[in-house]
Amino acid sequence: GTLNHLLAICIGSVQRFRLAADVVTDGHLKSLLKQYSHQRERMASELRMEVRLLGGEPEGIYDLATPLGMPRFSYAKTDEEDRVIIAECERDEAVAVEAYRSALDDTNIPAELRKRLLHHSVQVREAHDRILALGATVVTGLTPNRSLNSSPSC
């Protein structure tokens, strides 16, 4: 269902952000991607708990969590390829933003779960917007502003 789909997206994001952090050359970007990986681990843990509270079993969904951008940047090692990684992360985050938007459109979601999903949705949108802005700074050669240097919210 919807929660397992969001869980698969979060698990995929954990893996994608980890791989991206391992291969980018920019230190700031590496740190930010690691922070997002940890953030998504927490989100995935919360979603697993919610699936179980609703009587479901999240264990069987791991095969669905192939990170969308992994094959395209698995060997990136140059500054130019950092731009490709940022673009792929932004594209994949746009998919996550839409998945959360769609989930929140479901009027049958219990109030407490809706609150948690709304919190996750805000985090995903913030990550998307920050990655999008970072991509613009890499393309133009500008130094990231203070908001880009801040940690992801939890």
Side-chain angles (χ1 to χ4, degrees):
T2 300
L3 289 181
N4 276 334
H5 179 65
L6 294 175
L7 179 55
I9 287 173
C10 284
I11 291 168
S13 293
V14 168
Q15 295 168 349
R16 184 183 63 253
F17 285 135
R18 265 191 205 141
L19 177 62
D22 286 345
V23 298
V24 297
T25 58
D26 179 79
H28 167 71
L29 181 57
K30 185 179 292 284
S31 175
L32 186 65
L33 294 170
K34 285 179 181 178
Q35 290 172 8
Y36 286 140
S37 177
H38 294 303
Q39 178 189 68
R40 297 306 162 82
E41 283 178 319
R42 287 188 300 272
M43 291 167 65
S45 177
E46 291 172 2
L47 288 169
R48 278 187 201 99
M49 180 189 70
E50 292 292 347
V51 169
R52 286 187 180 107
L53 286 173
L54 293 172
E57 189 56 49
E59 271 34 88
I61 58 100
Y62 294 104
D63 292 339
L64 302 175
T66 302
L68 300 172
M70 286 179 80
R72 290 185 289 278
F73 60 76
S74 59
Y75 298 105
K77 292 291 184 192
T78 67
D79 290 341
E80 177 66 26
E81 289 168 322
D82 282 1
R83 280 195 290 223
V84 173
I85 292 169
I86 292 169
E88 292 300 328
C89 287
E90 186 278 324
R91 183 187 65 79
D92 293 346
E93 284 302 279
V95 170
V97 166
E98 185 53 39
Y100 271 95
R101 184 176 300 135
S102 178
L104 287 166
D105 285 344
D106 183 349
T107 57
N108 295 320
I109 293 177
E112 283 302 310
L113 177 56
R114 177 174 298 286
K115 184 177 174 182
R116 183 178 304 276
L117 294 183
L118 185 58
H119 181 66
H120 286 194
S121 177
V122 168
Q123 292 175 325
V124 169
R125 275 195 317 269
E126 287 174 352
H128 173 263
D129 293 349
R130 193 172 293 157
I131 290 168
L132 185 63
L134 184 57
T137 63
V138 169
V139 169
T140 61
L142 299 174
T143 304
N145 65 29
R146 185 174 179 100
S147 67
L148 293 174
N149 289 323
S150 61
S151 298
S153 58
C154 296

